[in-house]
Amino acid sequence: MMLHTTFKTMLLTIFTICLCAESYAQSFTGRVTDVGNLPLAGVSVRSSDGAKATQTNEKGEFTLQVKSGTVLRLTYVGFTPQDITYNGSPLRIIMERQAETIVTDVVVIGYGTARKKDVTGTTARANLTAFRESPNVNILQSLQGSVPGLNVGAVTTAGSSPSVSIRGRTSLSGTTSPLIVLDGIIFRGNLADINPADIASVDVLKDASATAIYGSQASNGVLLMTTKTGRAGKKPLISYNGALTLSQVSNRDMLPLDKEGYLQFVADRWINESRTGANLDAPNPSWDPLTRMSAESAKGFQAGVNTDWWQLLTNRNPLMQNHDVSVSGRSENTAYFFSLGYTNQENVIINDTYKRYSFRVNLESKVASWLKVGVQSSYGISDYSGVAPTLTTVIRNTPFLSAYDSTGKPLRLPDGSNLNPILQTQQNNLDKRYNLFGLMYADVTVPWVKGLNYRVNFGQNYVTAQQFNFDLYGANFTGSGSKMNSSEYNQTLDHIFNYRREFGDHGINATFVYGFEKRKFEQTNANASNFANPALGYHSLEAGQPSLQTVNSDAWKETSLYQMYRLIYSYKDRYVFTGTVRNDGFSGFGPGNKTGVFPSAALAWRITEEPWAKGKLGKIDDLKFRLSYGANGNRTVGRYQTLSRMNASIANGYLFGDGGLALQGQGIGSLANQGLKWETTKTLNFGLDFSLYSGRLSGEVNYYTANTSNLLYTVNIPSVNGQTSIPFNVGKLHNKGVELALNGTPVRNKNFSWDVNTSFSLNRNKVVSITGIDANKDGKEDDLVASKIFIGQPYGVAYDYNIIGMWQVADRNAGIIPGGFTYGTYKVEDINGDGSYTAAADRKILGYTDPSYRFSILNTLRYKAFEFKMFVNSIQGGKKYYYGQPGSTLPNPDNMQNRNFFKFDYWTPENPNARYRQIGYYSAALGETFSPYVQRSFVRLQDVTLSYSLPASITQKLNISRLSAYVNGKNLLTLSDWDGWDPESGTGLNLEAFPLLRSYTVGLNVEF
């Protein structure tokens, strides 16, 4: 109730702000962007007399108390200085890059920085500013759809992290997730623990040249994340951001059936009983649905029970609140950034909640002219406590089942066999994760060697987790409890040497890194059941029956050692060469393969710097061609996978007679293979960067091809000590793709501007080889049909029977339906024409599961003090890609018998052209999970934001630097032919999946 009141208050505040806007005819003092309308942070703004000065914030905005007529001087490295006269009206200032410094921006490239014009690899910086107002709990959500080649999935549960990948698939057995580097240190934790408001930038490294610095862990790409630090100013900057979000289910067609819907569902389940006539087109007057309900549902129907289980177990409009406070600043010798954050997120299912408490301290001090020391640290507490009922238990209970008895207490078994989901939510549950991250560094500018720098990074990450639970109704109502404690400690030490000099037309940027990483983990679980006294719950597991108490533990450790050499050489700012060699060692490999070497080389040619091109290419400001080739690795092998491992358990043991002692049995769990080695991906990349009309139109195009060898795959072998399989490096995979990023400013004038940012990416993969076996001697490697892997085809195929229609009642009457089928079941293609349907002879490749292409469009419109942003994201399947099977999780008729469900397009005599079979029968020859393949293509209005910033004349009276308010809508509209919860998450007609939410946010940002 209090949250709803807060929501109304914030709406009233925004309404009041808008009224104030009508009362004053001026906006904030100024906003500074480049010609591409990207905000410029850190621009120096100074009055001509030098009495007043400030800098722009991360949105390019500034406030300065000056009189009308004052001349302001704006300066920014790499941009042409400007003198602007302040006349009391809103200032919309566009700074143009100096011709000679259009591409001199410094970018993060891993273990250092480089001028943008010297970058030869494929990198991209995410536009985080575009999604600051979006209710994103995880920083990865702010990257969704915004960078070509970066694929971020949807999130459907509270506090969870989305799936993420870069470019195409490079492994079958290993992870496809990119390496995460936070403030220069590899981050192994959960990004949900990191407050997105603390992140200043995210750089995406894609090709072999850009990622080679991380060698054996970089074949899936790298995300470089940098946290905020203090900016120069006369006084500390205090900032508060607060937002309140209201959400709702985006697809209400998936809600449970009401009592009328359920009665129809029962009749359709038993269609041969509820209908009569040769064509089953008339109701059966003697049909009694009570005969086909469970006894409990029938009793409830007769008693007039009508329970809305969805309303009982869900939040109609789940809320999320987010609050961030930070203090930052920079003096001559010290920079600091402190922040506190609090997030409280509800999901649609009750008890699916997430709370995060985050703290950050970033400090840097210049203790001598040649020495800087600093610390970048954070502490996050993620709280998932509470047990949410599964969506299955929410939907399956029929409306005729009572939730409470006559005294108002929840019934234990409403349907006679399954626990009341209301009681599931009453478990005493604690689920917390504590994440402490700290980086200490010293940066030495060697005084006696010009251009030489040494930096030492010492990073530590300590993560502990507690998962405690006590279920009073567990273990057949005797009580069950458990406690799990785990800890993970990661330690990294990097020595980084950098030498950077320019000798006339020649430029050198050389880097050497030597470092190691140590990781260790331990976990202990204790379980008990049949409690004599449940009063203390999981705090007294010894109260459970002694013979049912169990304890188990686990632990592991691993070590990595690495060296990296990188040389960037430039000549006349026209030709650039980058060479990188990374040498990796990993404790998980066998003695002969513990180390791997991963080289890369890249060239860049700035065509616009050629004498014959300077000033002769019309409106082209910059044109750069890039070429790179190199190798990266994937540490697919587990830390102990090369060793033979033993399993021990009581289940495999021996009991010495009744009442005798039980001893554990031990056996071989896996065979050793010390020949396992790194999966290696070799990538060739062609790129073209361009800028036209003084940066008003810019972008890049990339084409890449990648070949992965030594794929890890488990091969079947004759039984050895009970083991029938062993992993080998045997496979090969190929993928290629195209990426396009385009940024433009179609309209720009004093009070109005319109920016457009678009991205497009396409990827295709192909299985080149897996086992190399040609058992049938036809000269071609055999397909692995059981695993749906086909040589020469993409990995991820829709291989199944081809549906060509639906058998109808008229077909039955005509006697043409084959055995094992009936009306309302799928009619499939008989490929070999033998009159029968077998998996071996009648299945074929129908399409592929990967997307055909992805694209997104971000439109940003600014009018005076208002800013409107609209982001459209889409994934498309084209003619034969991005197939899913939304009906594969539909229960068989027996499991549908006494359950409620949701509405979907199933066959009935009145709906003969339905997409899915009748719910009362399935063809055993096809299997109960067989159903149509549907393309997951969609176009989504993913983010819409309207923001307004108060004019300086008001903020000055309020003694604040800046105040803005905004409203945001997320996932407002999705256009798709997909059936089920959501096409992007791939959740179809699934009782266990959680829905994607549509959300509405109001927020305030205040700076002092």
Side-chain angles (χ1 to χ4, degrees):
M1 184 67 184
M2 185 176 70
L3 287 175
H4 281 282
T5 303
T6 306
F7 186 78
K8 293 177 181 178
T9 303
M10 296 187 79
L11 280 176
L12 181 61
T13 302
I14 289 181
F15 180 70
T16 304
I17 290 172
C18 292
L19 287 180
C20 293
E22 296 298 322
S23 303
Y24 296 86
Q26 60 179 190
S27 178
F28 48 81
T29 303
R31 185 174 190 274
V32 185
T33 67
D34 63 10
V35 291
N37 270 320
L38 290 176
L40 297 178
V43 176
S44 173
V45 184
R46 184 180 299 273
S47 61
S48 56
D49 58 5
K52 298 291 181 66
T54 188
Q55 284 189 335
T56 57
N57 62 18
E58 62 184 19
K59 291 191 174 183
E61 300 164 356
F62 69 90
T63 301
L64 200 64
Q65 276 188 306
V66 294
K67 296 179 180 179
S68 180
T70 301
V71 177
L72 303 178
R73 178 74 169 177
L74 283 79
T75 57
Y76 193 55
V77 176
F79 287 74
T80 303
Q82 287 193 41
D83 291 326
I84 303 292
T85 301
Y86 177 64
N87 57 11
S89 299
L91 293 179
R92 170 75 170 85
I93 304 167
I94 299 170
M95 297 189 72
E96 294 190 356
R97 299 174 187 267
Q98 297 172 345
E100 68 274 13
T101 60
I102 284 179
V103 287
T104 57
D105 309 53
V106 174
V107 297
V108 178
I109 57 174
Y111 297 118
T113 60
R115 297 178 304 177
K116 186 176 181 179
K117 66 181 180 181
D118 292 339
V119 173
T120 55
T122 305
T123 68
R125 172 159 291 187
N127 185 4
L128 298 183
T129 304
F131 304 101
R132 287 293 186 193
E133 297 87 358
S134 187
N136 296 327
V137 175
N138 192 302
I139 186 62
L140 293 176
Q141 293 174 272
S142 298
L143 309 179
Q144 190 177 15
S146 62
V147 177
L150 176 63
N151 313 314
V152 180
V155 171
T156 59
T157 56
S160 59
S161 293
S163 62
V164 58
S165 64
I166 297 177
R167 292 187 163 177
R169 176 182 292 274
T170 59
S171 180
L172 302 185
S173 303
T175 177
T176 58
S177 298
L179 182 70
I180 307 295
V181 179
L182 180 65
D183 288 330
I185 297 295
I186 294 175
F187 182 75
R188 304 290 186 181
N190 193 317
L191 280 175
D193 300 338
I194 305 298
N195 187 352
D198 292 343
I199 303 296
S201 65
V202 177
D203 293 278
V204 184
L205 310 186
K206 303 179 187 179
D207 72 339
S209 176
T211 61
I213 54 174
Y214 294 104
S216 69
Q217 304 173 72
S219 64
N220 295 322
V222 181
L223 294 180
L224 299 180
M225 299 186 179
T226 305
T227 58
K228 294 178 179 178
T229 186
R231 297 196 307 269
K234 288 188 175 181
K235 62 178 184 178
L237 176 66
I238 302 174
S239 176
Y240 165 75
N241 289 279
L244 186 65
T245 300
L246 180 150
S247 301
Q248 58 185 215
V249 174
S250 59
N251 185 358
R252 298 191 64 83
D253 291 339
M254 295 287 289
L255 300 191
L257 298 169
D258 58 16
K259 63 177 183 179
E260 289 79 14
Y262 175 65
L263 288 173
Q264 184 62 52
F265 188 76
V266 173
D268 292 340
R269 162 65 179 85
W270 300 99
I271 200 165
N272 59 330
E273 297 180 13
S274 64
R275 310 292 178 89
T276 188
N279 295 318
L280 297 178
D281 54 1
N284 184 354
S286 61
W287 160 249
D288 182 3
L290 298 185
T291 61
R292 289 303 186 179
M293 292 184 191
S294 67
E296 291 77 12
S297 289
K299 181 180 178 181
F301 175 81
Q302 293 171 327
V305 173
N306 186 12
T307 303
D308 189 340
W309 289 94
W310 181 266
Q311 184 177 13
L312 285 175
L313 294 164
T314 62
N315 298 302
R316 181 177 178 83
N317 295 116
L319 294 175
M320 181 175 76
Q321 55 177 314
N322 194 77
H323 305 277
D324 298 299
V325 178
S326 66
V327 180
S328 62
R330 179 185 292 271
S331 64
E332 183 177 354
N333 295 317
T334 303
Y336 55 89
F337 177 83
F338 308 107
S339 73
L340 299 174
Y342 172 69
T343 298
N344 188 339
Q345 181 186 23
E346 293 178 342
N347 201 7
V348 64
I349 306 298
I350 61 173
N351 275 6
D352 182 19
T353 61
Y354 174 69
K355 294 179 182 179
R356 179 179 60 215
Y357 309 85
S358 62
F359 313 88
R360 175 165 292 278
V361 176
N362 287 357
L363 292 170
E364 183 179 84
S365 179
K366 188 175 182 181
V367 297
S369 60
W370 51 272
L371 175 63
K372 291 187 295 184
V373 296
V375 60
Q376 291 170 296
S377 61
S378 66
Y379 182 60
I381 302 174
S382 291
D383 187 354
Y384 298 87
S385 299
V387 176
T390 63
L391 205 62
T392 301
T393 60
V394 175
I395 293 178
R396 74 182 178 192
N397 284 331
T398 74
F400 306 130
L401 295 175
S402 296
Y404 300 94
D405 62 20
S406 58
T407 66
K409 294 181 179 179
L411 291 169
R412 284 189 173 186
L413 304 172
D415 63 355
S417 57
N418 294 293
L419 183 68
N420 191 331
I422 296 175
L423 296 178
Q424 291 180 12
T425 67
Q426 296 178 4
Q427 298 178 51
N428 184 11
N429 177 267
L430 183 145
D431 186 354
K432 289 185 177 182
R433 184 174 60 243
Y434 308 86
N435 192 325
L436 177 63
F437 177 86
L439 164 65
M440 294 173 285
Y441 64 89
D443 196 289
V444 179
T445 302
V446 181
W448 54 88
V449 181
K450 186 178 180 180
L452 181 62
N453 178 271
Y454 166 70
R455 179 183 173 110
V456 57
N457 287 339
F458 180 56
Q460 299 184 85
N461 190 195
Y462 184 58
V463 182
T464 61
Q466 295 177 316
Q467 294 179 359
F468 304 162
N469 190 74
F470 182 77
D471 183 3
L472 184 63
Y473 306 98
N476 198 23
F477 302 104
T478 65
S480 63
S482 63
K483 296 188 79 169
M484 187 279 288
N485 287 282
S486 67
S487 66
E488 181 176 345
Y489 176 67
N490 303 323
Q491 181 186 95
T492 304
L493 179 65
D494 287 334
H495 299 277
I496 307 169
F497 297 87
N498 181 262
Y499 180 72
R500 183 180 301 182
R501 287 287 302 275
E502 291 189 5
F503 304 93
D505 293 334
H506 307 272
I508 292 177
N509 185 348
T511 304
F512 168 69
V513 177
Y514 178 83
F516 72 82
E517 181 188 26
K518 291 182 178 180
R519 303 179 63 200
K520 61 181 181 179
F521 170 86
E522 62 180 33
Q523 175 180 297
T524 302
N525 294 278
N527 302 271
S529 58
N530 197 1
F531 279 73
N533 183 352
L536 296 179
Y538 57 65
H539 291 301
S540 183
L541 295 180
E542 68 276 10
Q545 182 177 327
S547 62
L548 299 178
Q549 295 176 12
T550 61
V551 176
N552 60 75
S553 59
D554 187 22
W556 55 258
K557 64 179 180 180
E558 65 180 37
T559 304
S560 303
L561 188 67
Y562 47 87
Q563 303 94 41
M564 189 276 291
Y565 311 84
R566 178 178 62 204
L567 173 65
I568 302 175
Y569 168 75
S570 64
Y571 177 68
K572 289 188 175 182
D573 288 339
R574 190 183 308 163
Y575 311 110
V576 185
F577 167 80
T578 301
T580 307
V581 177
R582 168 100 175 198
N583 186 16
D584 270 292
F586 178 51
S587 60
F589 288 103
N593 295 299
K594 283 199 177 293
T595 61
V597 178
F598 304 96
S600 76
L603 295 170
W605 175 30
R606 290 190 63 207
I607 301 172
T608 44
E609 288 300 307
E610 291 287 357
W612 52 265
K614 274 192 175 182
K616 300 176 183 178
L617 297 181
K619 299 297 184 180
I620 298 177
D621 311 319
D622 186 56
L623 191 63
K624 182 170 73 173
F625 174 76
R626 293 177 284 103
L627 171 66
S628 68
Y629 181 77
N632 295 121
N634 194 335
R635 263 179 10 193
T636 312
V637 172
R639 55 189 62 89
Y640 301 119
Q641 199 167 358
T642 60
L643 305 177
S644 178
R645 287 168 288 177
M646 302 289 291
N647 290 334
S649 68
I650 290 290
N652 294 326
Y654 188 80
L655 181 65
F656 290 92
D658 293 340
L661 183 65
L663 295 181
Q664 284 189 343
Q666 298 189 43
I668 294 178
S670 63
L671 298 175
N673 183 357
Q674 296 196 0
L676 296 179
K677 51 190 175 183
W678 320 80
E679 291 185 344
T680 302
T681 299
K682 297 179 180 179
T683 304
L684 176 66
N685 193 103
F686 300 90
L688 184 68
D689 303 336
F690 56 89
S691 175
L692 297 84
Y693 304 105
S694 298
R696 197 162 172 176
L697 178 64
S698 63
E700 65 175 88
V701 181
N702 287 283
Y703 171 79
Y704 62 89
T705 177
N707 292 286
T708 303
S709 59
N710 296 323
L711 281 175
L712 189 69
Y713 193 79
T714 300
V715 178
N716 294 328
I717 60 173
S719 180
V720 178
N721 293 325
Q723 302 303 304
T724 58
S725 64
I726 188 171
F728 280 98
N729 295 104
V730 291
K732 295 179 181 179
L733 188 68
H734 170 79
N735 76 75
K736 60 184 178 181
V738 176
E739 297 166 351
L740 170 66
L742 192 63
N743 309 301
T745 305
V747 180
R748 184 187 71 201
N749 56 44
K750 180 179 179 181
N751 293 322
F752 178 77
S753 67
W754 173 27
D755 303 330
V756 181
N757 307 96
T758 64
S759 72
F760 172 89
S761 63
L762 175 150
N763 178 267
R764 298 286 185 267
N765 75 68
K766 181 175 68 175
V767 178
V768 178
S769 175
I770 295 294
T771 63
I773 297 174
D774 178 17
N776 58 7
K777 306 302 181 181
D778 64 351
K780 297 186 297 182
E781 182 177 336
D782 296 340
D783 299 324
L784 302 178
V785 178
S787 301
K788 296 187 177 182
I789 298 177
F790 297 86
I791 307 304
Q793 293 287 340
Y795 181 81
V797 299
Y799 177 74
D800 221 320
Y801 300 97
N802 181 33
I803 297 174
I804 57 176
M806 197 80 75
W807 294 110
Q808 305 295 338
V809 176
D811 297 325
R812 181 202 62 174
N813 296 339
I816 61 174
I817 299 179
F821 294 78
T822 188
Y823 51 81
T825 59
Y826 303 116
K827 182 189 296 185
V828 299
E829 180 182 2
D830 182 9
I831 294 178
N832 66 352
D834 65 354
S836 62
Y837 302 93
T838 61
D842 295 306
R843 292 187 299 169
K844 67 179 184 179
I845 295 176
L846 307 174
Y848 310 103
T849 58
D850 282 345
S852 176
Y853 60 92
R854 304 168 187 256
F855 72 88
S856 67
I857 303 174
L858 171 65
N859 284 279
T860 305
L861 295 93
R862 301 180 182 92
Y863 177 71
K864 294 185 177 180
F866 289 92
E867 182 179 72
F868 176 77
K869 292 180 290 190
M870 182 174 69
F871 181 67
V872 176
N873 188 27
S874 177
I875 304 178
Q876 295 294 318
K879 292 184 178 180
K880 56 181 179 179
Y881 285 86
Y882 209 33
Y883 274 98
Q885 205 172 7
S888 62
T889 56
L890 290 172
N892 65 38
D894 291 338
N895 291 332
M896 279 187 173
Q897 184 164 319
N898 295 316
R899 297 181 177 185
N900 197 12
F901 218 71
F902 40 70
K903 183 179 179 180
F904 68 99
D905 185 24
Y906 58 82
W907 183 94
T908 63
E910 299 80 22
N911 188 26
N913 297 318
R915 177 170 281 176
Y916 301 96
R917 61 167 170 80
Q918 63 151 298
I919 59 177
Y921 187 88
Y922 72 90
S923 303
L926 306 182
E928 65 179 76
T929 63
F930 176 72
S931 62
Y933 286 83
V934 180
Q935 287 188 301
R936 294 163 56 187
S937 302
F938 70 90
V939 177
R940 172 170 290 150
L941 183 56
Q942 186 169 301
D943 265 288
V944 177
T945 302
L946 176 64
S947 61
Y948 175 78
S949 296
L950 281 180
S953 57
I954 300 178
T955 57
Q956 291 167 4
K957 293 177 181 179
L958 298 174
N959 199 29
I960 59 177
S961 299
R962 177 176 172 273
L963 189 150
S964 65
Y966 61 87
V967 292
N968 170 274
K970 188 175 178 69
N971 300 327
L972 297 182
L973 176 66
T974 301
L975 303 177
S976 178
D977 191 40
W978 180 254
D979 297 311
W981 287 115
D982 180 65
E984 186 173 15
S985 62
T987 50
L989 304 174
N990 191 338
L991 285 173
E992 297 182 358
F994 278 45
L996 183 75
L997 299 186
R998 178 187 297 119
S999 63
Y1000 306 91
T1001 301
V1002 294
L1004 292 172
N1005 173 258
V1006 185
E1007 293 181 358
F1008 300 90

